[in-house]
């Protein structure tokens, strides 16, 4: 299709970054027709299926051998699952049976077997197992591609995607690895979700990616010039010069910035007037640990432990969690790691079979965070035991999410004591003086921060939720996004209340919401007295650069004026003023 005007499509951004280049449509599966063979061709057809399956196993093994050792452990598993399926006796026998007994062509035998498996998966309630039909689908597609005689000259799965943006129907781990390995620029899929194995993989490999772009395969043709904006989930097909220039500038700025800012990382995090400001990282996945290497940070200010619980249909055992936490603690070599206890529910996807209250109505106001943990003591206790055991290997702190009442702290502390007693009886080592802190992200806790501060060792401000709950805006609802304002006067006053409560009670206060990573607010927060910032690792250089070029003593006065200024426009003006260097 000849397209003259730019077309903008939107999907779910799963891995950040911008890619500009020609696209390549990768195997949207052709429709498979019901096809039969003559009896005398049975043996020939059986040989064809055997060799297509052998070739697919070989291709998968080649991909597996090509991936770097750092990701091999996790990713190799996905590929092994695919290889196992092709070797599965029942699967192979059924296909061959269709050829021998029903005189199906190879393609039809394979496809009708797939349809039958799919039908049985459709009836499964468990959403995790249900999703595994994706694996069968990927395998069937690969075998079909190898059956295609016209493709005999291609090298199967080993292809050259250099400088191309790959568009596919459904993201398979093999697609992602091939794109990455052959220096593809990014990857887009028509279907798929944020927590699929493949999406997780794109993030680990820092390969820009968007999924769930409905109809992209109908609209795009191989060779079209496109822009993939992995920050906003936008695809711009046939962009004009102005759009391309804009995105090229963004890419250039980010490369230049990275170079300049890498120098900043080597410096100490001290302001111009000699205030030490703590800079910590937020982590969601253990693979991200490699990104924080050389970032010279003061620790992990927020470890979102949900990754261990999502994308599966059961709960991780204490031992499994212990091993994962220990690994992180050891890598931090004495710097603290703040483990936030499980915060599933609301926007944090979890398997459907895990009860989280009446999801249908108001998930953000439902059974999430500490409420969920206190509703199921055994899950909470297991996690606490694992965190406590990890504390024997380095500096560890426990942080409780979504604290709304003081009694939640009391209940959680009781369970933490219980977990300690169990560990003692099991003769397992842990740090008994472990610090316990809370996320301040619910207005009731923020308003009474002074009282809550008396019960804990530290506070960490979760602005993502604090803004959502104070302004009554669902943080994932596009339609009310315009109201999501971190500089709302009510928010600024709550922030000041929390920071002051920490100072008064002599306990540290950190901020780990996205506001900590927003360059517009660094000086505002410094002026309010904030001494610890925790953010996603990629934001650290820019924020640190502002911190080391700020004079805190000169900020207190103008910031005090901003927190009292009722006029939004004037507030913005004053904010711009303090941000000028
Ligand atoms: C927050 O609410 O600001 C926060 C850091 O937690 P999460 O984004 O994981 O809810
Ligand atoms: Mg939160």
């Amino acid at each position: 299709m000849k397209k003259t005007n730019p077309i903008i499509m939107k999907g779910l951004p799963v891995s950040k970054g911008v890619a500009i280049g020609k696209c390549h449509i990768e195997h949207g599966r052709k429709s498979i027709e019901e096809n039969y063979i003559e009896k005398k061709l049975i043996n020939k057809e059986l040989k064809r299926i055997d060799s297509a399956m052998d070739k697919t196993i070989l291709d998968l093994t080649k991909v597996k051998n090509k991936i770097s050792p750092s990701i091999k452990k996790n990713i190799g598993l996905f590929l092994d699952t695919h290889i196992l399926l092709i070797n599965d006796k029942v699967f192979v026998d059924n296909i061959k049976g269709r050829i021998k007994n029903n005189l199906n062509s190879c393609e039809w035998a394979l496809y009708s077997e797939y349809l039958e498996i799919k039908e049985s998966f459709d009836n499964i309630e468990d959403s995790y197992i249900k999703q595994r039909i994706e694996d069968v689908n990927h395998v069937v597609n690969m075998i079909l591609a190898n059956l295609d005689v016209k493709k005999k000259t291609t090298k199967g799965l080993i292809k050259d995607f250099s400088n191309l943006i790959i568009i596919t129907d459904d993201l398979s781990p093999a697609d992602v690895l091939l794109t990455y390995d052959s220096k593809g620029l990014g990857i887009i899929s028509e279907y798929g979700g944020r927590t699929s194995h493949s999406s997780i993989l794109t993030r680990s490999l820092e390969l820009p990616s968007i999924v769930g772009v409905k109809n992209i395969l109908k609209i795009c043709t191989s060779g079209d010039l496109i822009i993939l904006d992995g920050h906003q989930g936008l695809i711009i097909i046939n962009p004009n010069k102005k759009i391309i220039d804009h995105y090229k500038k963004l890419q250039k700025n980010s490369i230049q910035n990275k170079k300049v800012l890498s120098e900043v990382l080597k410096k100490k995090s001290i302001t111009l007037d000699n205030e030490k400001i703590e800079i910590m990282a937020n982590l969601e996945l253990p693979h991200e640990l490699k990104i924080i290497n050389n970032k010279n940070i003061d620790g992990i200010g927020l470890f979102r432990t949900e990754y261990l619980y999502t994308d599966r249909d059961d709960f991780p055992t204490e031992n499994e969690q212990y091993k994962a936490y220990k690994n992180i603690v050891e890598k931090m070599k004495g710097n603290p790691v703040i483990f936030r206890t499980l915060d599933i529910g609301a926007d944090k996807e979890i398997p459907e079979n895990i009860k989280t209250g009446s999801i249908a109505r108001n998930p953000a106001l439902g059974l999430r965070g500490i409420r969920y943990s206190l509703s199921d003591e055994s899950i909470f206790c297991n996690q606490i035991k694992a965190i406590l055991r990890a504390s024997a290997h380095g500096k560890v702190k426990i942080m409780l999410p979504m604290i709304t009442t003081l009694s939640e702290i009391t209940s959680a502390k009781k369970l933490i004591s219980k977990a300690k007693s169990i560990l003692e009886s099991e003769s397992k080592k842990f740090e008994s003086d472990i610090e316990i802190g809370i996320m301040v992200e619910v207005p009731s806790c923020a308003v009474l921060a002074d009282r809550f501060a008396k019960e804990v060792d530290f506070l960490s401000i979760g602005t993502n939720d604090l803004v959502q709950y104070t302004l009554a805006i669902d943080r994932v609802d596009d339609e009310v996004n315009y109201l999501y304002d971190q500089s709302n006067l009510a928010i600024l006053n709550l922030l000041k209340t929390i920071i002051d409560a920490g100072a008064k009670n002599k306990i540290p206060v950190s901020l780990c919401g996205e506001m900590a990573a927003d360059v517009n607010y660094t000086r505002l927060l410094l002026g309010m007295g904030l001494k610890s910032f925790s953010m996603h690792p990629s934001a650290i250089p820019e924020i640190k650069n502002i911190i080391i070029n700020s004079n805190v003593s000169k900020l207190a006065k103008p910031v005090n004026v901003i927190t009292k200024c009722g006029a939004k426009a004037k507030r913005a003006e004053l904010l711009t003023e303090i941000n000028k260097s």
Side-chain angles (χ1 to χ4, degrees):
M1 191 203 320
K2 180 92 189 114
K3 302 169 207 81
T4 45
N5 290 324
I7 300 173
I8 300 179
M9 300 188 76
K10 193 157 171 44
L12 202 61
V14 293
S15 180
K16 288 181 182 165
V18 169
I20 306 171
K22 293 210 166 136
C23 71
H24 169 77
I25 309 287
E26 179 61 6
H27 70 66
R29 187 202 286 143
K30 301 176 296 174
S31 59
I32 303 296
E33 288 176 9
E34 192 168 341
N35 214 346
Y36 296 90
I37 53 166
E38 288 176 44
K39 211 168 176 180
K40 61 178 184 199
L41 291 177
I42 289 178
N43 278 341
K44 194 175 161 213
E45 212 61 1
L46 289 173
K47 273 188 197 146
R48 268 185 79 219
I49 194 79
D50 273 339
S51 76
M53 285 184 170
D54 289 348
K55 174 99 178 65
T56 310
I57 293 176
L58 200 71
D59 287 343
L60 283 166
T61 314
K62 275 189 198 164
V63 174
K64 201 178 149 193
N65 292 338
K66 279 187 87 185
I67 57 182
S68 66
S70 60
I71 54 168
K72 201 166 201 153
K73 198 168 153 242
N74 291 333
I75 307 316
L77 275 179
F78 303 151
L79 300 172
D80 283 341
T81 316
H82 290 182
I83 293 173
L84 273 177
L85 181 66
I86 308 174
N87 280 324
D88 183 82
K89 194 170 170 341
V90 179
F91 180 66
V92 177
D93 284 353
N94 283 353
I95 292 166
K96 290 190 172 173
R98 286 171 192 271
I99 296 172
K100 280 190 273 193
N101 309 327
N102 306 352
L103 298 180
N104 284 181
S105 67
C106 284
E107 286 82 356
W108 182 240
L110 184 63
Y111 192 56
S112 47
E113 179 62 18
Y114 164 73
L115 290 179
E116 199 170 307
I117 300 174
K118 186 173 181 307
E119 204 178 302
S120 53
F121 270 69
D122 285 345
N123 296 327
I124 295 172
E125 296 259 311
D126 182 306
S127 68
Y128 180 80
I129 297 179
K130 205 171 183 151
Q131 276 176 25
R132 302 287 53 89
I133 187 68
E134 281 175 22
D135 293 321
V136 184
N137 186 25
H138 296 318
V139 167
V140 168
N141 274 341
M142 285 184 256
I143 304 174
L144 280 172
N146 279 326
L147 273 172
D148 192 339
V149 276
K150 279 178 239 130
K151 285 194 181 165
K152 245 183 179 162
T153 49
T154 70
K155 286 178 261 153
L157 278 174
I158 310 298
K159 293 173 187 163
D160 182 8
F161 291 149
S162 55
N163 292 321
L164 292 171
I165 298 171
I166 307 307
I167 304 182
T168 178
D169 42 3
D170 200 359
L171 222 55
S172 73
D175 288 334
V176 178
L177 287 167
L178 282 167
T179 309
Y180 176 75
D181 262 345
S182 63
K183 306 220 168 358
L185 300 175
I187 188 158
I188 299 167
S189 73
E190 177 141 353
Y191 304 99
R194 222 188 117 71
T195 54
S196 72
H197 298 320
S198 314
S199 297
I200 293 170
L201 186 53
T202 56
R203 287 196 284 279
S204 323
L205 300 174
E206 295 181 7
L207 188 67
S209 177
I210 304 175
V211 301
V213 192
K214 299 284 169 293
N215 294 321
I216 182 107
L217 285 165
K218 283 196 197 120
I219 292 170
C220 269
T221 317
S222 282
D224 282 347
L225 180 67
I226 65 170
I227 293 174
L228 182 171
D229 175 350
H231 300 278
Q232 305 190 68
L234 295 180
I235 293 119
I236 303 148
I237 307 159
N238 194 28
N240 57 30
K241 188 171 174 317
K242 204 168 150 200
I243 301 177
I244 296 173
D245 287 349
H246 168 75
Y247 275 101
K248 279 199 171 151
K249 208 165 145 196
L250 281 186
Q251 278 184 320
K252 206 169 143 201
N253 285 351
S254 102
I255 294 166
Q256 271 173 353
N257 255 350
K258 267 189 191 160
K259 275 192 203 146
V260 175
L261 293 174
S262 62
E263 289 303 305
V264 169
L265 293 175
K266 295 177 192 152
K267 299 184 180 167
K268 283 191 178 153
S269 175
I270 292 177
T271 62
L272 292 173
D273 51 340
N274 252 337
E275 279 267 15
K276 160 77 185 142
I277 304 294
E278 198 174 53
I279 298 184
M280 316 240 271
N282 292 352
L283 291 192
E284 295 190 36
L285 290 174
H287 328 303
E288 288 172 316
L289 272 174
K290 70 173 191 295
I291 308 174
I292 57 164
N293 276 348
N294 311 322
K295 282 225 159 58
N296 197 11
I297 54 167
D298 296 300
I300 306 295
L302 164 65
F303 197 95
R304 292 181 164 101
T305 57
E306 294 82 43
Y307 83 93
L308 271 166
Y309 295 76
T310 50
D311 217 13
R312 60 189 294 163
D313 64 340
D314 58 354
F315 284 96
T317 61
E318 176 197 319
N319 245 346
E320 188 183 341
Q321 294 185 69
Y322 163 62
K323 281 186 195 147
Y325 301 157
K326 172 176 173 269
N327 183 28
I328 293 152
V329 171
E330 284 178 341
K331 288 220 167 78
M332 289 313 294
K333 298 187 180 117
N335 276 325
V337 182
I338 302 182
F339 286 102
R340 179 177 71 183
T341 61
L342 188 57
D343 186 22
I344 49 173
D347 60 313
K348 302 191 175 78
E349 289 173 43
I350 50 155
E352 273 167 22
N353 63 332
I354 296 179
K355 176 178 146 277
T356 52
S358 48
I359 296 248
R361 299 284 153 107
N362 265 316
L365 304 182
L367 191 64
R368 59 166 294 202
I370 193 69
R371 304 170 188 181
Y372 182 78
S373 293
L374 295 179
S375 78
D376 195 325
E377 292 187 6
S378 66
I379 292 168
F380 185 62
C381 215
N382 259 356
Q383 181 173 40
I384 295 295
K385 282 175 75 190
I387 299 175
L388 283 168
R389 286 172 64 195
S391 73
H393 303 274
K395 181 112 183 89
V396 166
K397 302 182 189 188
I398 297 175
M399 179 154 76
L400 309 168
M402 278 288 290
I403 291 290
T404 310
T405 66
L406 286 167
S407 66
E408 285 168 339
I409 302 177
T410 316
S411 306
K413 280 187 172 176
K414 264 191 203 147
L415 291 173
I416 295 171
S417 299
K418 189 172 152 192
K420 285 182 183 175
S421 310
I422 301 174
L423 284 180
E424 269 162 15
S425 68
E426 291 170 349
S427 308
K428 287 182 181 142
K429 285 190 193 149
F430 62 93
E431 167 60 60
S432 58
D433 247 355
I434 196 159
E435 288 182 29
I436 302 170
I438 54 170
M439 300 251 338
V440 186
E441 51 186 350
V442 177
S444 61
C445 180
V447 171
L448 296 180
D450 181 38
R451 297 198 51 190
F452 283 74
K454 295 186 177 18
E455 306 301 324
V456 291
D457 298 309
F458 63 92
L459 304 176
S460 186
I461 311 172
T463 43
N464 305 343
D465 278 316
L466 187 61
V467 173
Q468 149 165 278
Y469 294 126
T470 307
L471 305 182
I473 309 151
D474 188 335
R475 68 193 246 196
V476 292
D477 186 341
D478 288 355
E479 293 194 76
V480 286
N481 225 359
Y482 69 99
L483 281 168
Y484 195 93
D485 177 14
Q486 300 172 106
S487 65
N488 178 287
L489 198 62
I491 301 296
L492 298 189
N493 279 275
L494 282 180
L495 293 177
K496 184 80 181 109
T497 303
I498 304 162
I499 294 167
D500 287 350
K504 189 175 154 205
N505 291 282
K506 299 194 171 49
I507 60 164
V509 179
S510 185
L511 194 150
C512 64
E514 286 303 300
M515 198 172 180
D518 191 329
V519 291
N520 293 309
Y521 301 121
T522 314
R523 287 202 171 142
L524 178 89
L525 294 167
L526 286 172
M528 284 184 181
L530 189 75
K531 297 203 169 22
S532 173
F533 293 67
S534 189
M535 67 204 79
H536 54 86
S538 54
I540 290 175
E542 244 185 326
I543 300 293
K544 184 167 179 183
N545 195 30
I546 299 178
I547 289 175
I548 62 177
N549 287 299
S550 296
N551 195 324
V552 178
S553 56
K554 286 193 182 152
L555 285 170
K557 227 172 166 180
V559 166
N560 193 29
V561 176
I562 294 175
T563 55
K564 293 199 166 69
C565 173
K568 189 175 172 177
K570 179 72 187 160
R571 237 178 15 252
E573 205 179 286
L574 293 170
L575 193 59
T576 312
E577 200 56 40
I578 61 165
N579 284 338
K580 283 185 191 154
S581 40

